[in-house]
Every structure is written in C-alpha cells, then in structure tokens.
C-alpha cells in the first residue's frame, strides 16, 4: 500500500500543490537539475541565501520529479542554486509523481503565489499548460484567477521572439500593453512599433492611429463590397486624375460621413455619373461639359489678361512717375533757396523717421551699394556717377550747400522704397506717398493728371482703411 506523505508547502504556509508525493528522501544536489520548463527564467542572485544555507542548512525541502536516474526541481529553483553555491551535498526532497502538465501547473502555482514571475513569464507558462491539454477554466481554477485573466495572458504569450527582441526590457511590459501588441499578430512592423513606444506617452497615440487605420480600411472594404454588387446601380470606375478630360471631381466621402450602408444611400441621392475609390475615401465624379469648360477657361484667361494689363499699366505708371519726379529734382533742386531746402530736409527727414522699421529709411550711409538704400536713385537725382556718388555726398554734407545734398539723399531713399503695388495697397510706404508729393509740390513740382488721379485713389483707400480700423477698435472697446 502506497504511504501518503505530507504535502510540500511554500514559505507562506500554503500548499504548493494538491498532488501527493510518493516519497521523501535525501538526494545529492549533483543529481538534481533545474526544470527546463520553469516559468521563472531568471532566479537572480542567491549569494545571501547560500550563506544562510551554509550556516543553518536547508530548512524547507525541495520538490522534485524523477527524470531517469536524475531529478528535476518543481519547487525550489533558487534553493537548489543556493545549495550548489554553498557546496551542500544531500538535501531533503519531496519526490512527486506528476505528468508534464501537472509539473507545469505546480511550478506556475508556486511562482504565482510568491509573485516571482513577470507578466510575460506567467503568460508563457499558462500557454504551456494550455498546450499540454489544460482548459482555460481548469487553469483559471488552478491559479485562482478569472477566465479573462488566463485568456489575456494566453494572448500575450503569442507574441513571437522577433518582436520580443525589440527591447531588452520587453518582459517588464504591462499586461495591457502586451495584449494590445498581441492583437496585431502577423503584423510584426506594427507590433514592433507598439513595443518600442510602450511605457511612453506615444503608446496610446500610436495605438489609436493603428485602430483608426484599421477602422478606415474595414470601412472602405465593406463599402467597396457594396459598390461592386451587380444591383448597386452605381458606376464604379478606376480612380481618374483630376485633369481627366472625361471626368470632373464632384466631391468625396470619408469614414466619418457614415456607415457603408449610409454612404450608398447618400451616393444614390446625389446620383453622380461615377464613383471611385481613392485610398480610404470615395470620390464622386461628374462628366465634363467640354463646352462649359471651354467657356470657363476663356473667362479665366480673359480675367487673367485683364489683371496682367492692370499690373503692366501700374508698373508703367510707377516707372514713368518716378522718372518724372527724379528728373524734376535733378533739374530744379539747385535753384531753390537755401532756407526752403533746409525746411524740406527737415520735412523729408520727419517723413522717414516715423517709419516703424528702424532698418528702413534710416540705414547708415555706409550701407549704400548698387542694389539697396537708394544708391541708384541718388545717382539719378544728383547726376553723379555711381562710383563717385558716396564720396561726393560726404564731401558736400560738410559744405555750405549741404541742404541740397541732404534733400537729394532723403528723396532718393523714398524713391527707392516706392513699389508699383504701393499705389494700390495700403501699407507703411504707401501712407508716405501723399506726404512726399505734398513736399515736392511745395518745392514747385506739378503732378500730371495721371499722378493726381492715382493720388486721389490712394488717399481714398487710406481713408477707408483708417475708418475700418477705427470701427474695429470701437467694437473691441465696447
């Protein structure tokens, strides 16, 4: 008759398993091996435990199963390693008679009770039990867990080694992260991307994007299946280019527009000549009316020609008026009285100083060159060769006739800033044009009718802009 022996118990005093042992005996540690299916992959440092065993001996027996003429540990892998490190010979062991599934169940139970397994180690062990024929319910009962607990870990165990190698601390991921990664089995690129982001603020963002992409893909697949049905009544065509001579783009529908069934109804309501699939969108197409398109293109061409003509006329006017102003300054400045020139210098200077851009009218003379700051305009007004202009200017500014030279430089700076568009657009430069003309007229300059007309239009535009700004300020202050 087989003798019933005491059940092996863990250090918390709970039964390690419900299986009976055949015998308890002293076995030399040289004959005992770690179990190859031990869920706990890393037993850690056993130096302190080895020192304790060397002093006090092994207080808790190991649990082992026969393996030919040797034995394998079921419970006590750390104690076995510590005994071998301490040089212990024979140790007391409970010898259990367990089949492979029972062995794995016992190891999982013992490690879970001690909370020694990572989530991934536990997942692999649970999957091992299922592979050996255990049911989800039996594993859940054995571990004292729910069926969902077991199923989640079985999902996590499905993650293959290629993905696990994505990061060194993969085994430390949470069960939620592992289940999310496992959901994309067969899609290693997605799994690796999620694994790399796990534990960071990007994980949820990447997961949401993947889920959105899947929803959109499923949406377009379902919609496509409805569109290709023989009785759909919708003309599905290959996606044409926007410039296709036969089709004209008439709109599109996105996943957010509705369910595939709702989209079909909306397409029928709009009754387009055709639809096409473009990525995760449905494009609607109408047949082109070539006559209407030609008329529209002709209108566009006429409008563009009119804009080009207005721009060309404005450029011609701006160039002609600038030439006229500078020619008048060149011909008349030296004949104007010194006192009036001094007053004009002050007025031109004030007109430029109030420019809000400090790099605008107030750049130092040393920055003058052929391309900036009115050098070309100064040469036109003064009549001096460009290479001599700067030296002549500096010389005359120290002479009694400095005022005429000051007027030339200040006028040149304004002329340099005036652009053709400044005559039709309200900006810092255009706001100075009327003041500049007033100063020139006080010197004796007479604007042409064309200049007077452009000035009147510009002043009206400035007044309108100022009025709009005042109304906006009043509304903001109310």
């Amino acid at each position: 008759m087989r003798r019933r022996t005491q059940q092996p118990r863990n250090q918390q005093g709970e039964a390690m398993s419900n299986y009976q042992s055949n015998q308890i005996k002293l076995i030399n540690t040289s004959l005992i091996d770690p179990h190859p299916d031990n869920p706990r992959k890393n037993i850690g440092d056993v130096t302190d435990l080895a020192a304790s065993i060397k002093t006090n001996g092994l207080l808790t027996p190991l649990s082992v199963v026969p393996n030919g003429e040797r034995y394998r540990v079921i419970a006590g892998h750390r104690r076995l390693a510590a005994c071998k490190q301490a040089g212990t010979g024979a140790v007391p062991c409970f010898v259990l008679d367990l089949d492979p599934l029972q062995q794995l169940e016992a190891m999982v139970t013992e490690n879970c009770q001690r909370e020694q397994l990572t989530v991934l180690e536990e997942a692999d062990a649970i999957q091992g039990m299922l592979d050996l024929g255990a049911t989800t319910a039996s594993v859940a009962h054995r571990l004292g867990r729910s069926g969902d607990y077991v199923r989640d870990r079985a999902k996590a165990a499905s993650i293959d080694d290629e993905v696990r190698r994505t990061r060194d601390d993969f085994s430390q991921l949470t069960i939620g992260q592992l289940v999310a990664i496992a959901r994309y089995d067969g899609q290693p690129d997605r799994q690796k991307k999620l694994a790399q982001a796990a534990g960071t603020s990007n994980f949820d963002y990447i997961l949401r994007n993947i889920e959105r992409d899947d929803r959109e893909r499923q949406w377009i697949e379902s919609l496509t299946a409805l569109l290709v049905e023989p009785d759909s009544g919708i003309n599905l065509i290959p996606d044409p280019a926007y410039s296709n001579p036969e089709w004209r783009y008439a709109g599109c529908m996105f996943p957010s527009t509705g369910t595939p069934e709702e989209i079909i109804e909306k397409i029928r309501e709009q009754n387009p000549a055709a639809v096409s699939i473009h990525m995760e969108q449905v494009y609607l197409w109408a047949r082109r009316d070539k006559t209407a398109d030609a008329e529209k293109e002709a209108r566009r061409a006429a409008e563009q020609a009119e804009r080009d003509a207005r721009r060309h006329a404005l450029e011609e006017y701006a160039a002609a008026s600038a030439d006229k102003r500078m020619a008048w300054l060149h011909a008349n400045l030296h004949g104007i009285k010194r006192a009036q020139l001094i007053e004009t210098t002050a007025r031109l200077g004030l007109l430029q100083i109030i420019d809000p851009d400090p790099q605008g009218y107030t750049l130092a003379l040393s920055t003058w060159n052929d391309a900036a700051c009115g050098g070309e305009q100064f040469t036109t007004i003064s009549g001096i060769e460009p290479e001599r202009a700067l030296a002549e200017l500096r010389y005359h500014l120290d002479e009694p006739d400095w005022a005429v030279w000051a007027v030339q430089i200040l006028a040149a700076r304004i002329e340099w800033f005036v652009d053709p568009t400044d005559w039709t657009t309200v900006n810092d430069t255009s706001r100075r044009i009327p003041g500049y003309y007033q100063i020139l007229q006080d010197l004796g300059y007479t604007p042409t009718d064309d200049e007077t007309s452009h000035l009147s239009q510009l002043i009206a535009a400035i007044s309108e802009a100022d009025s709009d700004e005042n109304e906006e300020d009043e509304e903001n202050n109310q």
Side-chain angles (χ1 to χ4, degrees):
M1 180 175 177
R2 178 175 293 177
R3 181 170 61 90
R4 185 185 180 102
T5 59
Q6 179 186 1
Q7 286 186 337
R9 306 181 69 84
N10 63 20
Q11 292 178 350
Q12 284 76 28
E14 298 179 0
M16 187 274 295
S17 76
N18 292 326
Y19 301 110
Q20 295 177 344
S21 62
N22 285 339
Q23 54 183 308
I24 184 170
K25 59 188 292 188
L26 291 175
I27 303 175
N28 196 291
T29 56
S30 64
L31 298 175
I32 307 174
D33 302 312
H35 201 292
D37 294 330
N38 179 29
R40 191 179 184 200
K41 304 306 180 186
N42 183 8
I43 63 172
D45 184 7
V46 296
T47 302
D48 292 342
L49 182 56
S52 175
I53 290 174
K54 193 169 186 178
T55 301
N56 304 309
L58 181 62
L59 302 181
T60 304
L62 305 178
S63 296
V64 300
V65 293
N67 182 36
E69 296 182 356
R70 301 180 64 81
Y71 298 87
R72 285 177 174 172
V73 177
I74 295 298
H77 283 82
R78 281 177 55 80
R79 282 170 279 154
L80 173 62
C83 287
K84 290 185 175 183
Q85 184 172 315
T88 305
V91 294
C93 298
F94 290 104
V95 181
L96 307 178
D97 182 14
L98 306 175
D99 63 29
L101 175 56
Q102 292 170 331
Q103 293 175 30
L104 187 52
E105 285 179 341
M107 287 187 288
V108 172
T109 302
E110 195 264 348
N111 278 290
C112 287
Q113 288 173 346
R114 295 170 180 267
E115 297 182 350
Q116 293 176 331
L117 298 179
T118 66
V119 172
L120 194 58
E121 287 174 336
E122 184 183 13
D124 288 338
I126 287 174
Q127 185 58 53
M129 294 165 66
L130 296 173
D131 291 342
L132 289 171
T135 64
T136 298
S138 66
V139 174
H141 176 74
R142 185 67 180 162
L143 299 180
R145 303 288 189 175
S146 68
D148 287 341
Y149 183 94
V150 174
R151 281 186 286 271
D152 282 348
R153 279 146 184 80
K155 291 176 185 175
S158 70
I159 302 173
D160 62 28
D161 291 339
E162 180 185 358
V163 177
R164 296 186 186 198
R165 288 193 294 268
T166 300
R167 51 192 295 171
D168 294 337
D169 61 346
F170 190 87
S171 62
Q172 303 302 316
L173 300 187
T174 67
I175 185 61
Q177 293 165 345
L178 291 172
V179 169
I181 294 170
R183 191 186 310 160
Y184 299 98
D185 186 34
Q187 304 176 55
D189 290 343
R190 281 181 164 183
Q191 288 187 311
K192 290 177 183 178
K193 192 172 183 179
L194 284 169
Q196 290 167 350
T200 72
S201 58
N202 281 336
F203 182 81
D204 290 339
Y205 172 77
I206 292 174
L207 182 59
R208 285 196 301 271
N209 283 345
I210 291 175
E211 292 171 342
R212 182 203 62 211
D213 291 344
D214 282 349
R215 286 194 301 272
E216 292 181 353
R217 177 182 53 78
Q218 292 169 2
W219 180 85
I220 202 68
E221 288 176 355
S222 299
L223 181 57
T224 302
L226 295 175
L227 288 172
V228 298
E229 289 182 356
D231 59 348
S232 72
I234 299 173
N235 181 22
L236 179 64
I237 62 173
D239 192 38
Y242 281 103
S243 58
N244 187 283
E246 182 179 0
W247 300 105
R248 175 176 56 80
Y249 172 74
C252 67
M253 296 184 180
F254 304 86
S256 59
T257 309
T259 66
E261 292 75 15
E262 291 170 340
I263 295 300
I264 292 294
E265 292 306 314
K266 290 180 180 180
I267 292 174
R268 287 175 177 152
E269 290 173 5
Q270 296 190 27
N271 193 28
V275 301
S276 69
I277 304 299
H278 181 78
M279 300 178 69
E280 269 68 52
Q281 303 170 16
V282 178
Y283 278 28
L284 311 183
W285 301 94
R287 291 193 181 277
R288 288 189 180 277
D289 183 336
K290 295 182 179 179
T291 301
D293 287 348
E295 292 175 353
K296 186 176 181 180
E297 185 59 34
R299 286 196 301 272
R300 287 178 178 173
E303 290 169 357
Q304 184 60 49
E306 185 178 350
R307 287 193 295 270
D308 291 343
R310 286 198 300 269
R311 185 183 68 253
H312 181 68
L314 183 62
E315 290 173 350
E316 285 189 336
Y317 160 74
S321 61
D323 288 343
K324 180 177 179 296
R325 291 190 302 269
M326 289 189 287
W328 186 89
L329 289 168
H330 174 70
N332 294 279
L333 279 183
H334 289 276
I336 297 174
K337 293 181 179 181
R338 187 172 185 274
Q340 190 174 8
L341 288 173
I342 293 175
E343 179 185 343
T344 301
T345 299
R347 293 174 67 187
L348 287 172
L350 288 174
L351 183 65
Q352 298 177 33
I353 288 172
I354 61 174
D355 189 331
D357 180 5
Q359 298 300 314
Y361 295 127
T362 58
L363 288 176
L365 291 177
S366 60
T367 65
W368 273 33
N369 53 51
D370 292 339
C373 299
E376 179 182 345
Q377 287 77 6
F378 176 76
T379 296
T380 301
I381 294 172
S382 66
I384 300 175
E385 294 297 326
E387 59 271 11
R388 293 179 42 239
L390 189 57
E392 287 285 342
L393 177 60
R394 285 175 169 167
Y395 169 76
H396 283 284
L397 287 177
D398 289 331
E399 295 298 311
D401 62 345
W402 65 269
V404 69
W405 295 87
V407 170
Q408 289 180 129
I409 184 176
L410 293 171
R413 283 175 177 265
I414 291 179
E415 294 290 352
W416 177 73
F417 268 89
V418 176
D419 185 81
T421 58
D422 294 329
W423 284 96
T424 56
T425 305
V426 177
N427 55 44
D428 286 340
T429 300
S430 62
R431 288 177 179 277
R432 286 159 176 76
I433 291 177
Y436 179 49
Y437 263 85
Q438 185 61 57
I439 293 172
L440 294 181
Q441 287 178 268
D442 289 345
L443 289 176
Y445 178 79
T446 302
T448 63
D449 292 343
D450 200 9
E451 286 178 291
T452 301
S453 174
H454 277 84
L455 275 171
S456 298
Q457 294 174 25
L458 178 58
I459 291 171
I462 293 172
S463 298
E464 182 178 355
D466 290 343
S467 176
D468 292 341
E469 289 180 3
N470 291 335
E471 290 179 2
E472 184 176 347
D473 290 341
E474 289 177 1
E475 291 177 358
N476 293 335
N477 292 331
Q478 288 178 354

